[in-house]
Every structure is written in C-alpha cells, then in structure tokens.
Amino acid sequence: MAFRIRTLAPIFAVGLLAVAGCASDGGDADAGASTASDERGSESQPVQLGVVGASEPYWDVFVDAAEEEGIYVDLVDFTEYTQPNPALSEGELDMNQFQHILYLADYNNAAGDDLQPIGSTAIYPLSLYSDKYEDVADIPDGETVIVPNDTTNQARGLLVLQSAGLIELKDGGSPFSTLDDIEDSSRVKVEGLDASLIPTSLPDVAAAIINNDFLQNAGLTGDDAIASDDPADPSAFPYINIFATRAEDVDDEVLNKLVEIYQTNQDVLDGAQEAASGTAEFVQTPKEDLQSSLAEVQEQAENAG
C-alpha cells in the first residue's frame, strides 16, 4: 500500500456519501451500506493519527499492520510538540501519539481541555549527553548545560541534573520545577532551548538533555549518555508515553484496536526501539490506570501552580 503522510493539512468532514442513494427505492439499504463504508477506520474515512516524526520507518510498518486488520490510517506529521493536542481537540485528528502523561496533564490544565489517554507505548529515559566530557564529574563548575524549554521535559531534565550532582533545586525539586528553582549553589548554569534545536547546539555547551526523539538524527544512542533517570522507578509513571484522544472517544473500538496493534506487533516494536536508539522500555498499562494518573497529575499541577 502507499504510505500516507500529510503535514498540517486541513481535514474536512466526510459525510456526503452517507446521503447518497436516499432518493431511490431501496435507498435505505444503499444508505446503510454507504454509512458502513464511512465508518472511522474505513478506506473512505481513515483514522487521522497525529505524530511527531512520521518519517520513522516503523510508522510505515504500523500503517500496514493496521490495514491488515481492516483499519486504514492516515498519519499527520507535526514538527513541534505544541501542535498535535490542539489539532486533536479541534477535531482535525482522531488520536495522537507523541507525549507522556505529564505533558498531557500540563496541556489540559493550560487549555482547559479534557483529552484522555487510551493506551501506553513506552517509557523513555531522559538523558544527559556531552561532546566534551565522558563523565559528569569532569564538567567544570560554571559551565553551561542545556535542557528542553517545554514545561514538563524541562522539569524532568532538571531532576536528572540534580540527580547527577550538577544542580540543586529548591525544596528538592518536583515534576513542576523551573529554571527559577535552581539554587545559586549549583555547579553549572542551565539554559532552556527548544528540544529540536538542542542536538545541533550540543558542541557549544558542556552538556545537554536531549529527548529520545532527536538522538538518532544527532548520531547518538542511549549508550552515549553520561547521566539518566530510571524508567523502573515508580515516580516515572507520569512519563509513560501514550495514545491520546478526546474524552468521548476513549472507548472507541477502532482506536483501541490501533493501540493493541502497536503494543503487540513485534515489527512495530522493533522499529520503535530502533528509532529510540535502544532506549525504549515498552509497557502495556491499562487505560484506566493511565487516566487515573492523568487526573492525579493534573490536580498536583494545579496545586503546584
């Protein structure tokens, strides 16, 4: 089949075929047939799945695996993390897969939205990389380290730096820490930068927190990290990456079937692992647990604010 990817193109509602055939005898049967053909996941109404990095080969494998199960998928590729959630909320997507629970909680609170997780993919440890130093202990005091500037990944990156002994955070730090929470006694200076720009900036600084999405293009693997957080730690639960959809679609059979395909197709998992440079820890977490965690994290974020 042809691999279908589009980038930020508008999506128009499909409904005209459901009206066809109503003017003739036997129109009820014709209308019923055309309605069935227009169901979500059909060839005429493929599932619109928003991702960041649709050029990764495993998405091609996923689309083919879904079609083998009778579900057609169009990938909508985004270049920035800030784009897929508004597109989902506005009905331009049926589902997206690019974020962890904590990121979704931050979005829902900020936008007054109610997007919900319906399936898990993996936890990806967030790590520190350097072109100049092979050990955190070798980084001189006063050097500059870069972290992602989006709210949730920045806080997580700061916790990695604190665990590595490079900074100290006010009150011990939290998933909601900011650059303002870095104590003056910290060893290094920390700056925020868009996650997609960090790999090319790595040679200019002592070290940088780099999201797994950008490791491969930077010529890095998880083995190159000089410090990381621990995906096995219970505190890492909010960092489970998820499929998300609108609240009214959490029980949609087609969307939940796509989650199952992703979680159980070994070729998809192998490709996702390769794209993650070997850092993925795949998980199959019940959606009810994901949704409970989201609600808890949203409440914590509101209290922290």
Side-chain angles (χ1 to χ4, degrees), residues 6-14 44-50 74-78 87-88 90-95 246:
R6 59 188 184 77
T7 304
L8 297 178
I11 299 169
F12 298 97
V14 178
S44 62
Q45 190 177 340
V47 171
Q48 304 297 321
L49 172 61
D74 277 353
L75 295 179
V76 185
D77 195 19
F78 295 90
L88 177 58
E90 293 166 9
E92 295 180 355
L93 303 175
D94 296 302
M95 181 166 62
R246 292 178 294 278

Side-chain angles (χ1 to χ4, degrees), residues 15-80:
L16 295 178
L17 293 178
V19 179
C22 293
S24 63
D25 290 340
D28 288 343
D30 289 342
S34 59
T35 298
S37 70
D38 283 347
E39 290 179 351
R40 176 181 284 160
S42 65
E43 189 169 8
S44 62
Q45 190 177 340
V47 171
Q48 304 297 321
L49 172 61
V51 300
V52 177
S55 60
E56 294 291 353
Y58 76 90
W59 282 120
D60 196 350
V61 177
F62 175 76
V63 169
D64 287 345
E67 188 168 332
E68 289 175 3
E69 296 287 340
I71 303 174
Y72 291 83
V73 176
D74 277 353
L75 295 179
V76 185
D77 195 19
F78 295 90
T79 58
E80 297 179 5

Side-chain angles (χ1 to χ4, degrees), residues 32-33 37 66 90 92 110 113 123 129 142-143 177 182 188 231 236 258 298:
S37 70
E90 293 166 9
E92 295 180 355
D113 214 333
I123 297 179
Y129 297 86
E143 287 290 310
S177 294
I182 299 174
V188 298
L258 288 176
Q298 284 188 217

Side-chain angles (χ1 to χ4, degrees), residues 4 8 33 38 43 50 55 74 115 133 136-137 150 152 154 159 182 192 195 212 219 229 232 237 239 268 271 279:
R4 295 167 296 197
L8 297 178
D38 283 347
E43 189 169 8
S55 60
D74 277 353
L115 302 182
Y133 306 103
V136 172
D150 61 276
T152 54
Q154 181 170 107
L159 291 171
I182 299 174
N212 287 275
D229 56 8
F237 197 100
Y239 298 111
V268 173
T279 63

